[in-house]
Amino acid sequence: MIELTRLNGKPFSLNALYIESVEAFPDTTITLTTGRKFIVLESEEEVRNRVALFYRSIQILSNPHLRGDENEEE
């Protein structure tokens, strides 16, 4: 989960595994795989950084196939 802030200033947690896209319209809009959208105060870059940190914390990128490595022996 990543911590974000709604436009009204209220914090909430979002499961980063369900994020499909993050765009700035100029407000940062997060679209989930379910189609649900969230508009947050954080910048697009900050959301990406929090997602990357979350992925590292759960070691989702430790799988060589998810990282895009062709040969995990190298």
Side-chain angles (χ1 to χ4, degrees):
M1 302 285 268
I2 59 173
E3 299 297 317
L4 297 169
T5 312
R6 296 181 190 274
L7 288 182
N8 64 5
K10 291 188 176 187
F12 72 104
S13 298
L14 182 70
N15 188 338
L17 295 174
Y18 293 109
I19 294 176
E20 183 174 302
S21 65
V22 180
E23 303 171 272
F25 289 130
D27 293 325
T28 305
T29 303
I30 300 169
T31 304
L32 303 184
T33 56
T34 62
R36 188 163 182 196
K37 295 180 184 278
F38 292 90
I39 301 173
V40 299
L41 291 176
E42 288 78 11
S43 69
E44 185 177 353
E45 181 179 2
E46 180 60 29
V47 173
R48 283 195 312 266
N49 289 339
R50 290 181 189 190
V51 169
L53 182 63
F54 170 72
Y55 282 176
R56 280 194 295 275
S57 75
I58 63 168
Q59 299 181 357
I60 196 167
L61 298 178
S62 63
N63 182 326
H65 300 289
L66 292 175
R67 285 195 313 259
D69 294 350
E70 293 290 325
N71 184 353
E72 62 183 277
E73 303 279 329
E74 295 178 27

